[in-house]
Amino acid sequence: MKRAFVFALLLVAATAHAAEPDYSVWTRILRTYYDPAKGMDYSALKVRDAAALQNLRRELGRVNVAALTQKEQLAYWLNVYNINTIATIVERYPVKSIRDLSTDPITRLNVFKKERVPFGNALLSLDDVENAKLREGFHDPRIHFAINCAAKSCPPMRAEAFTGANVDAQLDDQARRFLSSVRFGRKDDTLVIHVTKIADWFKADFEKWGGGRTAFIRRYLPPAKQQLIDHAKEIEFDFDKYDWELNTQ
């Protein structure tokens, strides 16, 4: 009886951590159809690999996420968001903007509220993934530079899937690359930081979880730009207009 109990404990320990999902199809799709300088080739993707993309969505929806490590869960939800966003466009392509798939006449953003992300026996929305799973689940502002909303002003996608083993380094690299576009100006004695609108929309995330908006941005800038911030008497922000045109080639 004792031996059987010990065997059962060993079996539970061996199976408690599930293997990370296989993202090789997603990496192949990214490297085949995505160019960070030009965008996604939705036309070719729809013709050649729409079925593979849909199959990947369904497979990831069957993953037991609770059995993954925290880092693997973070990578999982980042990939799920990006894969389902791209699939949303491919299904209705050609479109000029993801907002064209919305039905609300003013902001045209309810496409992100549509429940179409497979997850277990339910369907989630892209907003559910972004807000409930990623923002509230991990309290990490870097996610804003890793998820892509299929618009030109979105941070570029990586040409590889996120993985648990590499997700921290990948997120740091995403933030560093995107914030390299930060520009500076002067207004009397005030340093004006021209930066993505994302830093405005999600100000609370940077303040609560990133050490403050200025400190977070500074962390990912080259030394010369860091010094400008360090020596500034006053700092204010100017946010770039967000371009919702499709990030297509």
Side-chain angles (χ1 to χ4, degrees):
M1 186 71 172
K2 183 177 180 180
R3 184 176 299 174
F5 178 73
V6 171
F7 176 79
L9 288 178
L10 292 173
L11 183 62
V12 169
T15 58
H17 173 224
E20 188 168 19
D22 181 1
Y23 300 120
S24 58
V25 171
W26 179 229
T27 294
R28 178 184 65 77
I29 287 173
L30 288 167
R31 291 180 177 173
T32 304
Y33 302 105
Y34 185 70
D35 181 339
K38 299 178 181 179
M40 182 70 74
D41 189 348
Y42 291 102
S43 179
L45 173 54
K46 182 168 185 172
V47 170
R48 302 172 192 162
D49 267 318
L53 187 63
Q54 292 296 337
N55 187 56
L56 180 58
R57 291 177 65 231
R58 291 190 292 269
E59 287 182 357
L60 291 180
R62 293 191 287 267
V63 169
N64 179 11
V65 181
L68 303 176
T69 67
Q70 279 293 102
K71 296 299 183 183
E72 289 170 351
Q73 289 182 33
L74 175 55
Y76 170 86
W77 289 116
L78 292 170
N79 290 324
V80 163
Y81 186 95
N82 290 336
I83 289 166
N84 280 277
T85 300
I86 297 305
T88 299
I89 298 298
V90 169
E91 289 171 12
R92 300 284 297 276
Y93 190 80
V95 294
K96 293 183 178 179
S97 169
I98 193 170
R99 296 204 300 175
D100 294 341
L101 305 182
S102 289
T103 54
D104 56 318
I106 300 177
T107 60
R108 295 191 297 143
L109 291 175
N110 72 353
V111 60
F112 296 101
K113 298 183 182 298
K114 296 179 179 179
E115 296 177 339
R116 60 176 317 277
V117 179
F119 185 59
N121 296 321
L123 291 174
L124 304 177
S125 69
L126 290 170
D127 272 0
D128 291 333
V129 177
E130 178 181 7
N131 297 316
K133 302 300 183 181
L134 283 166
R135 292 177 62 216
E136 294 301 328
F138 296 95
H139 293 179
D140 190 336
R142 296 178 300 172
I143 67 169
H144 296 300
F145 307 107
I147 56 176
N148 184 282
C149 62
K152 284 189 173 180
S153 286
C154 286
M157 302 180 75
R158 293 189 71 79
E160 63 181 2
F162 292 98
T163 62
N166 299 313
V167 69
D168 271 321
Q170 290 172 317
L171 287 174
D172 280 338
D173 187 55
Q174 287 293 113
R176 189 175 299 110
R177 285 171 181 263
F178 192 57
L179 292 174
S180 67
S181 64
V182 167
R183 309 176 314 283
F184 294 98
R186 289 282 180 184
K187 189 168 66 176
D188 298 325
D189 289 334
T190 300
L191 178 70
V192 181
I193 302 177
H194 301 272
V195 69
T196 172
K197 186 67 174 176
I198 292 170
D200 182 27
W201 289 334
F202 298 101
K203 176 183 178 181
D205 291 11
F206 294 99
E207 297 297 330
K208 289 187 295 184
W209 307 324
R213 192 162 52 185
T214 301
F216 181 92
I217 292 170
R218 180 195 179 281
R219 192 178 310 141
Y220 292 100
L221 297 178
K225 289 185 176 181
Q226 289 180 343
Q227 290 180 17
L228 288 175
I229 291 176
D230 293 342
H231 293 98
K233 294 181 179 179
E234 300 288 341
I235 291 176
E236 68 177 46
F237 289 91
D238 181 66
F239 303 103
D240 300 331
K241 182 179 179 181
Y242 208 80
D243 185 352
W244 282 101
E245 186 178 349
L246 196 67
N247 61 341
T248 180
Q249 295 184 23

